[in-house]
Amino acid sequence: MENIIFRELNENDWDKGFFELLKELTQSEKLDEEKFKEILKVINKTANIYIYEDIKTSRIIGTATLMIEQKFIRGGGKVGHLEDVVIDKNYRGLNLGLNLIEKIINLAKEKGCYKIIGNCDSNLIGFYKKCGFSNKGIQIAIYF
Ligand SMILES: CC(C)(COP(=O)(O)OP(=O)(O)OC[C@H]1O[C@@H](n2cnc3c(N)ncnc32)[C@H](O)[C@@H]1OP(=O)(O)O)[C@@H](O)C(=O)NCCC(=O)NCCS
């Protein structure tokens, strides 16, 4: 789709539908512009948020976050953490999700990661297998 561009989220993206998109993933009320910019700066210390923008509408229609974790193990290896993957419901089924994950995998390789890990619901295993992932271990969580 020639009207869809891939790039990093930046501080000018506050009003381009990013929060509405995240709402399709989980509870995500819109923050004010100042808070958006402040949090993006904090996130960008350890992670990068990548997006698809439909340049015809100037709306953000897909996103994924790659966080890089520096380790002592594996000779000072790096692990990529895949987070907050979502494609706007009006743009699903067009291979944009698959394409987005492929881009994240390439970025993680370029940044020197030896693997990418992430969590997903069991109904999404099929999607992630198509992206090259395999089912590994069991997720644990504690919510406060
Ligand atoms: C999961 C999601 C990102 C997939 O995006 P998408 O752009 O619709 O997916 P694609 O069109 O790239 O699909 C690629 C392949 O995966 C398959 N696929 C997509 N969703 C799937 C699912 N839930 N289960 C099994 N296979 C799936 C597609 O059929 C396609 O395979 P095909 O080419 O053989 O037909 C999207 O459905 C979404 O945003 N869901 C809501 C948010 C969410 O759950 N995010 C994941 C959090 S871990």
Side-chain angles (χ1 to χ4, degrees):
M1 293 174 86
E2 72 280 354
N3 51 312
I4 308 290
I5 57 158
F6 174 78
R7 62 174 175 82
E8 243 188 87
L9 184 75
N10 68 52
E11 60 167 29
N12 302 317
D13 287 327
W14 172 68
D15 213 13
K16 290 191 174 175
F18 184 60
F19 288 97
E20 289 85 343
L21 179 66
L22 289 179
K23 242 183 213 158
E24 295 184 30
L25 184 66
T26 188
Q27 176 266 341
S28 170
E29 71 280 4
K30 191 169 182 175
L31 302 174
D32 66 42
E33 189 169 8
E34 204 181 317
K35 190 89 182 153
F36 167 76
K37 289 181 179 176
E38 196 184 301
I39 290 180
L40 184 59
K41 268 192 203 137
V42 175
I43 290 175
N44 281 156
K45 287 182 183 160
T46 54
N48 299 89
I49 300 178
Y50 297 96
I51 58 150
Y52 276 138
E53 179 183 354
D54 184 337
I55 50 169
K56 270 194 188 158
T57 58
S58 296
R59 302 293 285 177
I60 295 172
I61 58 92
T63 186
T65 297
L66 175 64
M67 195 181 99
I68 309 284
E69 180 192 10
Q70 176 68 60
K71 306 285 255 186
F72 274 122
I73 59 170
R74 296 214 178 218
K78 291 178 193 163
V79 173
H81 294 263
L82 179 63
E83 294 284 337
D84 300 342
V85 177
V86 55
I87 298 290
D88 182 323
K89 54 184 175 327
N90 298 311
Y91 291 78
R92 289 185 197 160
L94 301 169
N95 274 332
L96 284 171
L98 182 78
N99 194 261
L100 179 61
I101 302 301
E102 273 173 8
K103 285 180 160 48
I104 298 290
I105 291 171
N106 288 331
L107 284 160
K109 284 180 184 167
E110 279 168 31
K111 289 169 187 272
C113 296
Y114 67 89
K115 69 172 179 181
I116 298 181
I117 55 176
N119 299 313
C120 74
D121 289 341
S122 54
N123 64 329
L124 286 168
I125 296 288
F127 169 70
Y128 282 109
K129 283 197 170 154
K130 289 204 165 144
C131 298
F133 285 75
S134 50
N135 202 352
K136 194 101 193 316
I138 297 168
Q139 179 190 354
I140 54 165
I142 180 166
Y143 284 74
F144 306 111

